[in-house]
Amino acid sequence: MKQHLITDIKTNKNILGCYFMTVQNLGKFAKQIYLKGRNEMEKTGNPIMKAHSSEVEPEMFRVLTPDGEIIETIDGKIDKSLMLKMYESMLLLRTFDRKSINLQRQGRIGTYAPFEGQEASQAGSALALAAGDWMFPTYRDHGAAIIHGQELYRVFLYWMAHFDGSICPEGKRLLPPSVPIATQMLHAVGTAWASKIKGEKNVSIAYFGDGATSEGDFHEALNFAGVYKTPTIFFCQNNGYAISVPFEKQSASKTISQRAAAYDIHGVRVDGNDIFAVWMTVKEAVERALKGEGPTLIEAITFRYGAHTTADNPNIYRDQDEISTFWRENRDPITRLRKYLNKEGHWNEEQEELVLKQFNELIDAHLKKAEGYPKSDPLEMFNHVYAEESWHLKEQKQELNQFLKKGGKK
Amino acid sequence: MKQHLITDIKTNKNILGCYFMTVQNLGKFAKQIYLKGRNEMEKTGNPIMKAHSSEVEPEMFRVLTPDGEIIETIDGKIDKSLMLKMYESMLLLRTFDRKSINLQRQGRIGTYAPFEGQEASQAGSALALAAGDWMFPTYRDHGAAIIHGQELYRVFLYWMAHFDGSICPEGKRLLPPSVPIATQMLHAVGTAWASKIKGEKNVSIAYFGDGATSEGDFHEALNFAGVYKTPTIFFCQNNGYAISVPFEKQSASKTISQRAAAYDIHGVRVDGNDIFAVWMTVKEAVERALKGEGPTLIEAITFRYGAHTTADNPNIYRDQDEISTFWRENRDPITRLRKYLNKEGHWNEEQEELVLKQFNELIDAHLKKAEGYPKSDPLEMFNHVYAEESWHLKEQKQELNQFLKKGGKK
Amino acid sequence: MMGKNLTMLQAITEALDQMLGNDDRVMILGEDIGVNGGVFRSTEGLYEKYGNDRVVDTPLAESGIIGSAIGLALNGMLPIVEIQFLAFIYPGFEQLVSHAARMRYRTRGQFGVPLVIRTPYGAGIRGPELHSESVETFFAHTPGLKVVAPSNPYDAKGLLISALEDPDPVIFWNRLNCIGLLRKKFPTKCTEYQSVKQKWSRRKRSDHFCMGAMLREALNATKKIEAEKGWKCEVVDLRTLYPLDRDTIVQSIKKTGRALIVHEAHKTAGLGAEIISIINDEALIYLKAPIKRVTGFDVPVPPFTIEDHYLPTVDRVKQGIVETISF
Amino acid sequence: MMGKNLTMLQAITEALDQMLGNDDRVMILGEDIGVNGGVFRSTEGLYEKYGNDRVVDTPLAESGIIGSAIGLALNGMLPIVEIQFLAFIYPGFEQLVSHAARMRYRTRGQFGVPLVIRTPYGAGIRGPELHSESVETFFAHTPGLKVVAPSNPYDAKGLLISALEDPDPVIFWNRLNCIGLLRKKFPTKCTEYQSVKQKWSRRKRSDHFCMGAMLREALNATKKIEAEKGWKCEVVDLRTLYPLDRDTIVQSIKKTGRALIVHEAHKTAGLGAEIISIINDEALIYLKAPIKRVTGFDVPVPPFTIEDHYLPTVDRVKQGIVETISF
Ligand SMILES: Cc1ncc(C[n+]2csc(CCOP(=O)(O)OP(=O)(O)O)c2C)c(N)n1
Ligand SMILES: Cc1ncc(C[n+]2csc(CCOP(=O)(O)OP(=O)(O)O)c2C)c(N)n1
Ligand SMILES: [Mg+2]
Ligand SMILES: [Mg+2]
């Protein structure tokens, strides 16, 4: 199945994207998944449909089923130590995310964008990257950023609205969360293009959501990447909603991966809650990119259990309980890997407890660091507007400084 | 063949766009065209390839071959009187276009964008519209505008940089040429959407070039039209070049029509130099639109023989002679229809001469009207900025008026 | 109907409701404005009441929204577009500047674009970057557009209705922290409205100019100055940012010979500069002191922990008044 | 090398050539700038000399061009982007304003965007609408950007090289009718350049301010005034539009107490307003007359048959000088 999904469309001239097959054409495993998907949906009044707006869920690449079974060859690709790393990464992210929501409720951080439910997409993709790869996250992808090397206290600082929350560790190629939707996709084209020119063996990955696919920049980025065959990975987390707007209102197209065909680039639809499948897909995209075969558009099907941000109330626009419960019970990325690891004897309750304890301590330590971090000085707002301060900013800084010295109130 | 090309993709779930078939899958007529295309190319060192950047020319819908033979059923659709109208329309446009280039050389009009070679696309599409349909042309589509009812003297006025050159006949729904590339596509979505809301049986057609397909607005327009199923026709004249940039530098995609699949809307690739094929394709798109079946993206393969504008020198960026000669000799839209009409006994030399004489007289009369038209008054620049003139414009108008009265020079 | 107390937000929703109810041609388009009732809840209940053909959740694409709204307007509809935050208008900037603002001009009055673009602006919601912009200059430098920025519910309702009645594109700004988010009620009766066409922006009160939400800072500062020093100031609330209400500006300056301008936009090339220039043109000889600008600094709006230092605060306005009067 | 006479256009091509030759990181990106040598021929011969990896014909998508150039700059390249005409920068406005201008600020100096955007501006080529814009205000109101507008070949070459050496995004404007299109040669030696970093815009000559191509109108008008009335004027050529060269402006006004500002952009919220405001701040008491603005009107630039009536002409500038001096 995987080979099919990741086949270069150019060798399949009469089918624009073979990941977009009907059930008749599916291989054995794919058929199983497909039927499983239908069963799941029928059981619960079709909540995936609600989240992802298809009468029949279009095909996607899956390796690890929600029951913790492996239906693809992973030998030589994912070994035990990587599995444990994947599992622990997701656990860390979930712990961090829940903590952050609590901190927001306590007023210790500002409005926060949670990602619980999307851990496999974020951790799986980030783990498939090399240290020197360029990463362009959105406001919801601090999970991926953390796995790529961002420090936890910096993430807290970001949500505390501290200037220094947008800095990444020295030498890392990790840009601050992009706020204007879809814009960062072009930056990932540009950095990848530069890597190619310089002969540097690095890819650039841009994260974005299903909503982002409606923006013109999505189109321009995919098109440029196709023309210059840049080593760019376009990683879409299709969580079914852009704030309150379901994907069916976003586009008449059933999938996002099918858009790859519009640019004659490579496209894959993958179960975004299956960290094995995500990792393998991104890994393969990285390899293709480094071999000079150009960009890949990846659509990872996932769901965020919580609100768009802590300022949002999802009950207004969706049956939050039913749909979240369905996903938690049937599609959770962590549960499914835990089931598998348990079965294989790679993981047990004690390990889980121990690791969770360590993560909680780690997160607390970072929180402490963030809360103890010197506050942003108001005068800092004049720094880094330009590399060299211009006369007008010198004067305005001086003006504010004098005002503050005289005890002027903000 | 036609049925194939215009089949709704939704009934063909495993093939995203069946107009994008390989030769193996083609029907009898299509195969003929395909082989003919290859022969043409081989004869001439493959200039279509140069113009349209494909190793093998992708399939397209054709009715009337360059030799003047009909390979599709046109009965009940295109009758003799329509054929003659088509022929005369193209003749009028070519005569107008050549005249305009001469007028530019004589300094009687400003920089001009010629369309010779694209007459079948422009006339064929415009003739398939109803009088009340909305048209959004670009700077190169005054051919289509004329057929839709724009008066020749207005077109002259436009290229003479007269304010009144952007006005269309009372009651017509014909917008001025859009200068910023691809932007007008969204207007055609909006007007069509309004028609749908109001229950008015009209379509909106947007003209654009191959270069326009790279802009974000192209994507947003197709996506919006797909979501709201607006009765919009996106009519792309793929003339192979955006000024100097060949389509192969514009995108890695081989065709433009394949992009329809990205939005699950209807897409067709048609021989843009075959007025029967263009007319039938647009007519069918109109019918689909009015039946509520939504938008159609049409890629009409064509070529402009001349320069991008009279300010451009194509010799710098393409083998202008070879490529134009090839298209003129092998693909000309007028020649091929004339061949057919001659064969059928519908048209002869005398008729041609007579009509050409009439057209020349008509054009001269309109030119005279345009040249005799009262010049734009400088003070007019203050009109129509707003429906009601605001204080600052009143004053500025007054200021300029006084300046001019005192004999102030511009 | 008299005596109703409405927040800015309620006034806006009421106006929208009224307009949708009165005229079938009115449509609202935007992101999350339907089922969700808008991220600021300013369209709450309207989707339920008027349906998804009148109150439309669009795809996430601002050029798409503004561009198709232009088309809707060309063909007889009266679209009201909500852009979620002012900075997110940028992807649609070309549609606005190159088309909405020019269609009437280009067609010599044949086709107008009666379009209202409603967008919250300014700092105050304590979100991430680009949620706090105040770039009125971009629009005030674009002939063909009108820009209004009400400071209170009464004006908001009136200006919004007037904007819709206007045959040309009008950008309607809600200052974020006036919108009801901070739950401050304005004790203003708000059952009728004043036509902007008649009186594009007057609302004088008591030598400085300010706009939109800056009115609050200005009024607070002048109250304090009056209490502390006994100086009386006149405050001019410029409800219309483009075209500016020159007569009111000039009248005021002629009375006092001094002025302070308060706006939260960046100083350089901010609208304050145009106001100073108008005074220079019309009333230079009346000036007793340079006109001071208390504005946002020429830096991107900083993160919200120090955002208030970026903004013109009551204290900075007070200092400005003292400097202007003591000159 | 001394004594070479170059047109504006030749000076630009020479600078580009020199930069491509000196530094492998330099790339030029834009529409029709490769094989075609640019619609104004300013990149003529460079594609042949440096190949299509260094001189890149891009797809027709300005957001794509500016956005990917930002990425190139983040990763060590030095992209020079050509936007075919100023109005066509609008589709890329978000990339410019929300990203290029803010990346250094956002990352606290970690990632800068050393990007040059070169675009012709202003009227004069007699093309269709939107080929004549002069909207410097949009960029001069955007902290993080720098804007330069040379009036002659010498400055053009110097400013272009300085722009590329600048670690921040610089918008470099060619006035269209200075670019060599009208085949006017400037008899200026042009073998070295002055760093913008040292002297962001000075070039005074002989009480009014103007920029870019308006220098010609200004100089012609002052020459005539001198001949007719014997009045001597100083002309300040503001090569740098953002940040503005305040000291030069203030010095000049202190000498004479009068000023006339000439720009072709719309009057309202044009850069002239900021210059008046700077004078108001720093030199109000020196003023002997209101500062006049001779500018483009607040209307879309009209079709080229009457475009010259929109523009500040020598006659309008002369009238402005007379009014200012007779006040
Ligand atoms: C250009 C732009 N328009 C609007 C917004 C406001 N906004 C922030 S997040 C969001 C929804 C994004 O949805 P999606 O791309 O699916 O990502 P998700 O939040 O689901 O991860 C919107 C509309 C924005 N940030 N930028
Ligand atoms: C937004 C924008 N960018 C650039 C231009 C300059 N320009 C005018 S025509 C053109 C090429 C258009 O090519 P295409 O869409 O193929 O249409 P054609 O001229 O071939 O008919 C360009 C780049 C423009 N008018 N608008
Ligand atoms: Mg989403
Ligand atoms: Mg073309």
Side-chain angles (χ1 to χ4, degrees), chain A residues 209-211 237-243:
Chain A
D210 42 301
Q237 288 166 84
N238 181 350
N239 60 11
Y241 284 88
I243 309 186

Side-chain angles (χ1 to χ4, degrees), chain C residues 125-308:
Chain C
I125 68 138
R126 311 208 161 265
E129 62 163 344
L130 293 164
H131 286 73
S132 318
E133 308 305 290
S134 186
V135 287
E136 58 272 12
T137 291
F138 294 165
F139 311 101
H141 192 57
T142 303
L145 298 181
K146 291 177 179 172
V147 187
V148 299
S151 65
N152 63 76
Y154 185 84
D155 282 2
K157 186 171 178 191
L159 285 171
L160 187 50
I161 293 175
S162 306
L164 193 74
E165 288 175 349
D166 199 285
D168 289 310
V170 179
I171 301 187
F172 178 95
W173 279 15
N174 307 126
R175 173 76 192 305
L176 279 175
N177 67 12
C178 285
I179 207 174
L181 248 197
L182 304 186
R183 314 211 175 285
K184 283 234 157 61
K185 275 205 179 189
F186 288 72
T188 314
K189 285 158 205 144
C190 191
T191 47
E192 25 171 54
Y193 69 89
Q194 252 178 302
S195 170
V196 274
K197 277 176 293 179
Q198 299 308 313
K199 291 179 136 235
W200 278 104
S201 110
R202 305 254 134 155
R203 225 165 172 285
K204 334 156 225 175
R205 291 252 191 98
S206 48
D207 244 297
H208 47 296
F209 303 108
C210 61
M211 52 211 208
M214 283 295 116
L215 188 66
R216 253 200 334 223
E217 277 70 17
L219 289 176
N220 282 339
T222 49
K223 241 181 265 164
K224 285 195 180 167
I225 286 282
E226 189 168 350
E228 287 169 24
K229 313 242 179 193
W231 299 341
K232 280 191 195 235
C233 300
E234 172 169 284
V235 176
V236 176
D237 174 11
L238 293 169
R239 332 188 278 188
T240 308
L241 307 187
Y242 189 58
L244 277 164
D245 182 6
R246 183 186 52 183
D247 292 352
T248 303
I249 295 170
V250 173
Q251 255 172 41
S252 180
I253 200 75
K254 284 190 176 166
K255 260 193 258 173
T256 62
R258 297 179 201 263
L260 177 76
I261 295 165
V262 184
H263 63 60
E264 84 179 83
H266 310 304
K267 181 175 188 181
T268 299
L271 220 54
E274 184 57 37
I275 297 168
I276 292 176
S277 301
I278 286 178
I279 296 171
N280 162 82
D281 280 355
E282 303 290 326
L284 182 68
I285 52 171
Y286 294 87
L287 277 190
K288 298 180 188 141
I291 299 164
K292 233 188 130 55
R293 291 180 279 179
V294 176
T295 67
F297 295 110
D298 284 320
V299 305
V301 186
F304 68 73
T305 42
I306 57 169
E307 172 187 278
D308 288 348

Side-chain angles (χ1 to χ4, degrees), chain A residues 251-293:
Chain A
S251 180
S253 78
K254 292 288 167 286
T255 74
I256 289 163
S257 54
Q258 78 192 71
R259 303 234 178 122
Y263 313 96
D264 275 359
I265 64 169
H266 195 60
V268 190
R269 195 165 192 272
V270 60
D271 183 345
N273 282 10
D274 169 356
I275 195 165
F276 290 175
V278 170
W279 186 88
M280 281 167 69
T281 304
V282 176
K283 200 79 188 168
E284 184 150 346
V286 170
E287 281 159 16
R288 294 183 79 260
L290 295 182
K291 270 191 279 174
E293 291 168 18

Side-chain angles (χ1 to χ4, degrees), chain B residues 55-173:
Chain B
E55 285 142 54
V56 174
E57 195 176 10
E59 210 33 63
M60 60 188 180
F61 176 53
R62 182 181 277 175
V63 175
L64 183 63
T65 70
D67 297 331
E69 263 156 61
I70 284 193
I71 52 171
E72 286 287 329
T73 317
I74 57 164
D75 294 347
K77 289 176 190 152
I78 304 178
D79 60 13
K80 182 183 157 190
S81 90
L82 178 56
M83 282 176 195
L84 293 178
K85 195 164 182 188
M86 286 174 171
Y87 186 73
E88 293 185 7
S89 297
M90 292 198 289
L91 224 49
L92 172 65
L93 296 186
R94 183 161 294 184
T95 312
F96 181 86
D97 193 62
R98 291 185 178 176
K99 179 88 189 176
S100 300
I101 293 177
N102 280 329
L103 292 171
Q104 191 279 331
R105 292 215 181 101
Q106 296 163 26
R108 290 162 77 182
I109 65 173
T111 299
Y112 173 80
F115 57 72
E116 186 174 338
Q118 305 187 192
E119 295 90 346
S121 290
Q122 297 202 15
S125 54
L127 284 170
L129 303 177
D133 290 340
W134 289 82
M135 180 182 280
F136 295 87
T138 75
Y139 49 87
R140 198 182 305 292
D141 305 307
H142 34 293
I146 288 167
I147 304 304
H148 198 49
Q150 183 55 298
E151 294 179 85
L152 301 178
Y153 79 92
R154 295 259 185 214
V155 179
F156 284 133
L157 285 176
Y158 179 81
W159 294 108
M160 288 169 172
H162 195 294
F163 265 130
D164 291 356
S166 297
I167 295 174
C168 74
E170 189 65 45
K172 281 271 165 205
R173 288 146 164 192

Side-chain angles (χ1 to χ4, degrees), chain B residues 285-306:
Chain B
V286 170
E287 281 159 16
R288 294 183 78 260
L290 295 182
K291 270 191 279 176
E293 291 168 19
T296 303
L297 169 63
I298 299 170
E299 176 185 12
I301 307 301
T302 185
F303 187 73
R304 65 169 155 71
Y305 300 148

Side-chain angles (χ1 to χ4, degrees), chain B residues 25-36:
Chain B
N25 304 325
L26 296 179
K28 188 172 143 267
F29 287 133
K31 208 162 199 160
Q32 279 177 357
I33 302 167
Y34 172 80
L35 294 173
K36 192 141 201 103

